Amino acid sequence: MSSLRSVAKHPIISLLDSATSLKRLKQIHAQLLINGTLNDPHLLGQFVATIAFNNPTNLSYSSLVLDQCDNPTLFTLNSLIRVYSKSSTPHKSFHFYKRIAESGNKVSPDNYTFNFLVRACAQILSRETGLLVHGSVIKHGFDNDPHVQSGLIFMYAEFGCLGYCHKVFEEIPEPDVVCQTAIISACAKCGDVVLARKMFDEMPERDPIAWNAMLAGYAQCGESREALNLFHLMQIEGVKLNEVSMVSVLSACTHLGALDQGRWAHVYIERNRLKMTVTLGTALIDMYAKCGNMNKAMEVFWAVKERNVYTWTSVIGGLAMNGAGDKSLELFSLMKKDGVCPNEVTFVSLLRGCSVVGLVEEGREHFDSMKTEYGIEPQLEHYGCLVDLYGRAGCLDEALNVINNMPMKPHAGAWGALLNACRMYKNMEMGELASRKIVELEAKNHGAYVLLSNIYADSYNWDRVSNVRQIMKAKGVKKLPGCSVIEVDGEVHEFFVGDKSQPRYDEIEIMLGEISRRLKLAGYVANTKPVLFDIEEEEKEDSLCKHSEKVAIAFGLISLKEGVPIRIVKNLRVCWDCHDVTMMISKIFNREIVVRDRNRFHHFKDGKCSCKGYW
């Protein structure tokens, strides 16, 4: 008979269900002691377990009560192991297992005991303890129990030991759906998504847990396109998706900037009446914000019934990323009025909001308030934001002063913010310093070399441009190839520099020619100075024409109906020439273009950009 079988509660013990305070709990306890109810070890076990399950904040009290019992039942001990394994102090689970082990033959562990213990091991991330528990599993003969086996696979996956996961799985004579799902989850978690999919496809039957594990794995490993493909397959197969599944789907849409598919996911949530949890609502807001549709993000934000600090932070960060820094400050004020206390990430979003609209004094005040008002010690990322705040405003000396006075060693992010400001304001000397510091920290940071090269190119110092190029070659540093993603009719298309594999590439070439013709008529002259770093003189203008976002824009112009905004996600910072060209295209073709680059959003419309020339 199971040690966690359903046991009918004594009427007085049922009173614990309504005991919301420790005082009331003690009153019930006293009553049970007086009438002798707790003399029965089974009723005592119910009492202890009910306290633990109903109100985890009273775990210590239930432990004290159990300490007064000489011969606790296995049900009681397993109950405490179970609750502590899910608590903030999972290591205390082993105190109760020790009582089982030291009881002689009075109490013996069962499959539930070990199922909870391996979960506790996973929580504390102790590989040594996990191996000891695994040994006890084998010793007591539970190594063939499917629930214990799946728990062991989960535990080793948490340790990052995929090889051990496979060993456990291979020793299972006839793995059931639970064990198969566990090994698939272990391959998501440990980064072997290809093997996970192979095993998933070979499963004779797949339950919703297996589907959702595979979906989450793709999302977590950055395989966003595969995640969305699986989402569509799940709909075709009629697999029920839950709130957790939809968070994975929305995460994939966010990564790709796939707004159409994000909208469809939103429709799915509403049509299937999925509970709009705080996590799901926040993911939905984040998706709309990072796909450049802040109006919809705000609409969802005001509609969700429950908001926590992550919900507020997501929308504040979204406003900042989309260039609406003043509105992000307004929302921060509303957040405080709503009684929500900001966290470290909130201040990163807030400082970025100040930075994008040049609110230097306000940004400094918010930075100082972190410690004085909220007791939050500024971290590296906060200092990086402060450097960016001063740098964007042209206060380069103040930005350098922030770096020099940081209470910790400056990171590449802080020096990178300064280097970008030096590029903007053409400060070669300080730019050289920032670049040198970045390279000291990250020897193969290609971005630092490229920005420094652009500073030299802007100053027509071709010798130094060439020198940077030679240093990169000598150190084996290569530029990350540019990639731009665009969604058309729910399908995501990727474009790389020089890639001609797109089926409609001939049409794209024609459109690129038409764009070039109209740009020249409008007086456009290519900004080729930075390109000297990368290629030879006779190729530079043609190369600029083939930058990935320009190819993606051309594809958008031939594929999307007039009036439909062109939305692009780029893995690198937008170059000056592409920025100028996109502004002109937005006016010449009367088309709104939204570009999300590595740093922020650029909303191009009527020949203007939301970034106002600084990114």
Side-chain angles (χ1 to χ4, degrees):
M1 187 177 290
S2 168
S3 64
L4 286 178
R5 66 191 185 285
S6 178
V7 181
K9 286 185 179 179
H10 188 283
I12 298 180
I13 291 180
S14 296
L15 291 173
L16 290 170
D17 291 337
S18 59
T20 57
S21 68
L22 186 59
K23 181 180 178 181
R24 177 61 178 149
L25 186 62
K26 288 180 177 180
Q27 289 173 343
I28 297 172
H29 188 190
Q31 186 177 358
L32 295 175
L33 287 171
I34 291 169
N35 63 27
T37 300
L38 296 186
N39 292 334
D40 184 328
H42 291 287
L43 288 175
L44 176 62
Q46 280 192 54
F47 177 71
V48 172
T50 304
I51 295 172
F53 287 134
N54 283 12
N55 198 339
T57 58
N58 291 324
L59 266 177
S60 57
Y61 189 79
S62 60
S63 300
L64 288 172
V65 175
L66 186 60
D67 287 341
Q68 307 304 312
C69 179
D70 294 330
N71 299 304
T73 63
L74 181 59
F75 168 79
T76 309
L77 293 166
N78 275 353
S79 297
L80 270 295
I81 292 172
R82 176 185 182 184
V83 177
Y84 270 109
S85 72
K86 297 180 179 180
S87 74
S88 59
T89 54
H91 61 279
K92 292 186 178 180
S93 297
F94 297 95
H95 167 73
F96 304 100
Y97 178 66
K98 186 179 180 183
R99 291 196 65 172
I100 295 175
E102 293 177 349
S103 69
N105 294 323
K106 293 179 181 178
V107 183
S108 296
D110 64 2
N111 55 342
Y112 286 99
T113 311
F114 291 113
N115 194 32
F116 302 140
L117 279 179
V118 295
R119 301 282 171 175
C121 292
Q123 282 281 85
I124 62 176
L125 294 176
S126 173
R127 179 176 168 181
E128 182 180 355
T129 307
L131 289 168
L132 290 172
V133 170
H134 192 174
S136 295
V137 167
I138 297 170
K139 176 183 175 182
H140 287 88
F142 292 106
D143 48 324
N144 287 322
D145 182 275
H147 291 287
V148 176
Q149 289 165 326
S150 63
L152 286 168
I153 293 170
F154 171 81
M155 178 188 77
Y156 285 124
E158 289 294 306
F159 300 158
C161 301
L162 187 56
Y164 283 17
C165 295
H166 284 295
K167 285 183 180 179
V168 173
F169 184 76
E170 288 164 5
E171 291 173 2
I172 304 172
E174 295 181 5
D176 61 6
V177 174
V178 175
C179 292
Q180 290 173 327
T181 302
I183 190 65
I184 289 170
S185 298
C187 296
K189 184 169 287 291
C190 296
D192 197 345
V193 72
V194 175
L195 179 59
R197 184 56 188 263
K198 181 177 182 295
M199 300 185 76
F200 175 81
D201 290 337
E202 292 172 353
M203 288 177 71
E205 59 175 305
R206 298 186 282 258
D207 63 3
I209 297 175
W211 282 93
N212 290 325
M214 193 68 241
L215 180 65
Y218 276 134
Q220 291 166 10
C221 292
E223 297 282 350
S224 300
R225 294 183 71 176
E226 291 300 328
L228 294 181
N229 289 338
L230 193 68
F231 170 52
H232 293 309
L233 184 59
M234 290 172 78
Q235 294 175 77
I236 293 169
E237 296 284 337
V239 181
K240 184 74 174 177
L241 286 97
N242 58 23
E243 296 88 354
V244 178
S245 313
M246 294 312 300
V247 170
S248 296
V249 172
L250 290 169
S251 174
C253 294
T254 301
H255 181 255
L256 291 172
L259 181 60
D260 288 345
Q261 297 197 57
R263 287 190 185 116
W264 170 239
H266 191 181
V267 169
Y268 182 94
I269 291 166
E270 293 180 333
R271 184 181 296 162
N272 290 275
R273 299 182 179 179
L274 296 182
K275 184 180 179 182
M276 188 59 74
T277 61
V278 177
T279 303
L280 183 57
T282 302
L284 192 57
I285 292 165
D286 198 49
M287 182 277 295
Y288 279 121
K290 289 180 179 174
C291 287
N293 192 335
M294 276 312 301
N295 289 335
K296 192 64 180 178
M298 295 303 300
E299 182 184 312
V300 174
F301 175 78
W302 295 121
V304 294
K305 294 180 180 178
E306 190 178 355
R307 309 183 193 103
N308 62 12
V309 63
Y310 302 105
T311 316
W312 284 94
T313 298
S314 179
V315 77
I316 290 171
L319 287 165
M321 181 183 281
N322 282 276
D326 49 348
K327 291 184 179 178
S328 69
L329 294 178
E330 291 174 14
L331 212 65
F332 180 66
S333 298
L334 290 175
M335 173 183 170
K336 291 192 292 183
K337 288 180 183 177
D338 207 38
V340 180
C341 187
N343 61 17
E344 294 89 346
V345 183
T346 312
F347 279 102
V348 171
S349 299
L350 190 63
L351 291 169
R352 285 176 176 166
C354 293
S355 184
V356 297
V357 289
L359 298 175
V360 178
E361 292 303 318
E362 291 88 339
R364 183 74 217 201
E365 288 173 8
H366 284 299
F367 179 88
D368 293 338
S369 75
M370 288 177 61
K371 189 172 182 178
T372 58
E373 291 186 35
Y374 300 99
I376 299 173
E377 287 287 344
Q379 301 300 311
L380 285 170
E381 196 164 7
H382 300 107
Y383 282 101
C385 289
L386 195 60
V387 173
D388 187 61
L389 179 71
Y390 282 121
R392 283 175 183 269
C395 306
L396 299 187
D397 290 334
E398 289 87 341
L400 181 58
N401 190 50
V402 170
I403 293 177
N404 289 333
N405 289 286
M406 286 171 62
M408 68 282 285
K409 184 178 180 180
H411 64 315
W415 288 112
L418 180 63
L419 178 58
N420 190 44
C422 292
R423 181 208 65 166
M424 179 67 185
Y425 292 101
K426 298 179 173 55
N427 189 319
M428 188 186 302
E429 183 179 349
M430 197 177 290
E432 288 177 330
L433 169 66
S435 179
R436 188 167 65 250
K437 292 292 185 180
I438 294 172
V439 173
E440 287 175 6
L441 293 166
E442 299 177 357
K444 294 199 174 184
N445 186 320
H446 72 276
Y449 291 103
V450 172
L451 282 175
L452 182 62
S453 170
N454 290 347
I455 292 173
Y456 291 146
D458 283 338
S459 302
Y460 300 96
N461 194 328
W462 309 126
D463 288 340
R464 290 195 176 184
V465 169
S466 178
N467 186 49
V468 171
R469 186 174 182 178
Q470 293 303 317
I471 291 172
M472 279 188 75
K473 283 185 177 181
K475 292 187 176 182
V477 180
K478 295 182 179 179
K479 278 188 66 179
L480 188 69
C483 173
S484 293
V485 175
I486 181 172
E487 183 187 30
V488 173
D489 296 330
E491 185 177 353
V492 176
H493 302 265
E494 287 182 311
F495 293 93
F496 293 88
V497 173
D499 180 19
K500 300 183 179 181
S501 61
Q502 223 287 333
R504 299 184 66 185
Y505 194 80
D506 289 344
E507 296 174 71
I508 293 172
E509 284 272 21
I510 293 171
M511 177 52 73
L512 285 170
E514 177 62 14
I515 291 171
S516 180
R517 185 184 70 81
R518 294 201 196 184
L519 286 173
K520 287 179 180 178
L521 287 174
Y524 160 73
V525 177
N527 180 6
T528 60
K529 284 188 292 182
V531 187
L532 286 173
F533 172 72
D534 301 309
I535 55 178
E536 299 304 323
E537 178 70 24
E538 66 271 12
E539 300 173 299
K540 60 188 178 183
E541 189 166 337
D542 183 60
S543 175
L544 281 171
C545 185
K546 301 296 173 59
H547 275 194
S548 64
E549 61 264 51
K550 289 176 182 170
V551 180
I553 289 170
F555 180 70
L557 288 171
I558 65 173
S559 304
L560 296 169
K561 295 178 181 178
E562 286 189 27
V564 176
I566 297 173
R567 299 178 183 275
I568 292 167
V569 175
K570 182 176 170 64
N571 66 332
L572 302 176
R573 190 194 303 264
V574 172
C575 78
W576 280 105
D577 186 75
C578 286
H579 191 269
D580 292 345
V581 165
T582 308
M583 282 199 296
M584 294 183 72
I585 291 174
S586 71
K587 185 174 183 178
I588 294 169
F589 288 82
N590 191 26
R591 185 70 72 101
E592 181 181 357
I593 303 172
V594 181
V595 178
R596 186 180 94 195
D597 74 2
R598 190 176 61 190
N599 283 5
R600 59 168 296 163
F601 271 95
H602 301 264
H603 293 262
F604 299 94
K605 192 173 182 179
D606 298 327
K608 298 177 182 178
C609 179
S610 60
C611 77
K612 298 186 173 86
Y614 196 113
W615 65 95

